[in-house]
Amino acid sequence: MSRKSTIIAAPSRGRYANTGNGPSLQPIDIGHDTYVGLVDPDTAFWSLVRKDKLGDVIAGSDLLSQYRKKSAAFAQEMEMLRFKLKPSAVYFNPTERCNLNCDYCYIPEEMRKNGEHMSEGDLLEALAILKSYFRKTLPKESLPQIVFHGSEPMLNREVVFSAIERYQNDFRFGLQTNGTLLDDAAIDFLTSRGVGIGLSVDGHTAEIANKTRHNWTGEGSFSKVLAAMERLRGYSSYNVICTVTNQNMQSLCQIVDFFHSCEVPVCMLNPVRCTQSGAQNIKPSDNQLAKYYLAALDRTYELFQKTGRRLVVANFANVLIGIVAPTARRLMCDISPCGAGRCFFALSAKGDIFPCSEFIGLPNFKGGNIFTNDLAKTLTSEPFSKVTGRKVENIEPCRHCAVRHFCGAPCPAEANEIHGSLDSVGAFCELYEEQVRYALRQIADGKENAFLWDGWDLGTVTTFNLSTP
């Protein structure tokens, strides 16, 4: 559902806000010269209001009376998005091993160094179980997604490729890889079958990128990933992930320039997930990261204006789309409960099932095993229920926050490891808050489409559109 930007200039009489007879709307300063945001935190409804008209709007206006008619539908929409979705994707680790030893990896070092490969027989059996499960839970026309994830799935290449070949009509496949093992034959195989490919690189130069991404002897991966990026130029179903740390945050604008020059269609600027101590040691400070992050978003807009070609930063695009059209979100990290165990789950090389890949190194969050436990029961097990029951309404100070449904206090694994409790804030509260302010500024200036993928609104229906000059 799409909720068009609402810009109020001249109010008329209506219900009062913030009383028992009206919606609870909270003003937020978005850092704009002309407009202020007005948000109902419970339903994620928003409006942009001229600063000189804010008092009149809150006192009573067409906005309030029109929104009052829609508020129940908006609440139901958020209820569906937050609590009624079914799993449709699996992050599948076909091996525990990795040929890299990145500083911030959420998979424990011993597992990455000496872990197991999943056998071909076990992998095919696991996919058969997943196929049977999804046939019962998803609409017939819907293909579930399998993302071969890591550690490094290309270390078990022949088994993974055999599975893709066998089940290519039953799943949509993706492969998240460090890119060091992607030769021409591998790329030909993957692209000819429409497999989504995600690469990882943390800088625009070897000096920056290799600080955090290197092999067990300290050799960096930049040159090999760059070669893979060149081979994939023009392939629409690929993206690049840049994990942002205190080692590269000052280079985010240059990294954006680099990705754009390589014709990367979509990138993710992922603030480092602090589920392991290595990541916590290179975590950037929240307020500093926000400054560099927003500057990088500005740079993507400048490049789009200059060239007419977008570089979509998927993290921010998802925050933006969560405001404009909540149910059109493509990622489910920035809402609570997040997608872990609810929209997707993770499968280890031993067949163990976790709510999300971030939990694979946390054995207390193992829900069961795909070979020995009923999958449906596993997805409602106590470890899963703890994660799927995590709500911002139970977290301080999130439950008082106006933008809580545009953020979701991510990430539960990270929050648990930093603070010792799932019901605690994530590591980058200020960054998410500033992204929401930034998103509302872009909407106020009519720039939002420059940050979103083509066709984002196909299939959406506008449910609210009240705008006056």
Side-chain angles (χ1 to χ4, degrees), residues 80-100:
M80 176 64 69
L81 182 64
R82 297 179 66 200
F83 302 109
K84 306 298 184 182
L85 299 181
K86 296 179 180 179
S88 60
V90 181
Y91 291 94
F92 196 132
N93 286 19
T95 180
E96 294 179 317
R97 298 182 199 171
C98 190
N99 58 334
L100 296 188

Side-chain angles (χ1 to χ4, degrees), residues 74-258:
F74 288 165
Q76 185 178 16
E77 181 181 87
M78 291 305 295
E79 177 77 8
M80 176 64 69
L81 182 64
R82 297 179 66 200
F83 302 109
K84 306 298 184 182
L85 299 181
K86 296 179 180 179
S88 60
V90 181
Y91 291 94
F92 196 132
N93 286 19
T95 180
E96 294 179 317
R97 298 182 199 171
C98 190
N99 58 334
L100 296 188
N101 185 30
C102 302
D103 293 348
Y104 49 73
C105 189
Y106 53 83
I107 305 292
E109 181 175 311
E110 177 60 25
M111 190 181 295
R112 288 182 284 116
K113 201 169 190 177
N114 300 308
E116 299 179 9
H117 291 327
M118 182 177 273
S119 69
E120 181 174 2
D122 281 351
L123 198 154
L124 294 177
E125 181 184 351
L127 289 179
I129 294 170
L130 292 171
K131 176 182 174 180
S132 176
Y133 171 77
F134 286 125
R135 273 184 173 174
K136 299 173 186 176
T137 61
L138 296 181
K140 185 176 180 180
E141 67 278 5
S142 178
L143 281 183
Q145 184 173 30
I146 301 291
V147 180
F148 289 115
H149 214 258
S151 300
E152 176 46 53
M154 287 294 291
L155 286 174
N156 203 8
R157 166 177 169 162
E158 297 308 317
V159 169
V160 168
F161 285 10
S162 174
I164 292 173
E165 188 76 17
R166 174 81 66 89
Y167 283 99
Q168 60 185 312
N169 296 321
D170 301 299
F171 299 99
R172 292 180 295 118
F173 283 106
L175 180 84
Q176 182 62 44
T177 172
N178 60 39
T180 60
L181 303 175
L182 278 182
D183 57 24
D184 289 339
I187 289 176
D188 287 346
F189 176 89
L190 294 168
T191 57
S192 66
R193 290 158 178 81
V195 176
I197 301 173
L199 303 179
S200 295
V201 63
D202 291 349
H204 62 297
T205 66
E207 180 183 7
I208 299 295
N210 292 343
K211 286 182 179 180
T212 51
R213 298 190 63 81
H214 43 74
N215 65 17
W216 295 94
T217 63
E219 181 183 355
S221 62
F222 179 76
S223 61
K224 292 181 179 178
V225 181
L226 182 59
M229 290 172 65
E230 284 302 315
R231 291 188 186 104
L232 288 167
R233 188 186 290 259
Y235 184 55
S236 60
S237 297
Y238 108 97
N239 63 79
V240 176
I241 293 177
C242 170
T243 298
V244 185
T245 68
N246 60 14
Q247 303 295 299
N248 65 355
M249 66 177 177
Q250 296 183 16
S251 302
L252 284 181
C253 284
Q254 294 97 316
I255 291 170
V256 162
D257 281 339
F258 168 63

Side-chain angles (χ1 to χ4, degrees), residues 3 22-25 40 42-45 64-78 464:
R3 303 176 186 177
S24 179
L25 298 178
D40 181 348
D42 291 332
T43 65
F45 170 81
L64 299 182
S65 61
Q66 293 298 317
Y67 171 59
R68 187 177 178 85
K69 297 174 183 177
K70 292 282 189 178
S71 60
F74 288 165
Q76 185 178 16
E77 181 181 87
M78 291 305 295
F464 194 96

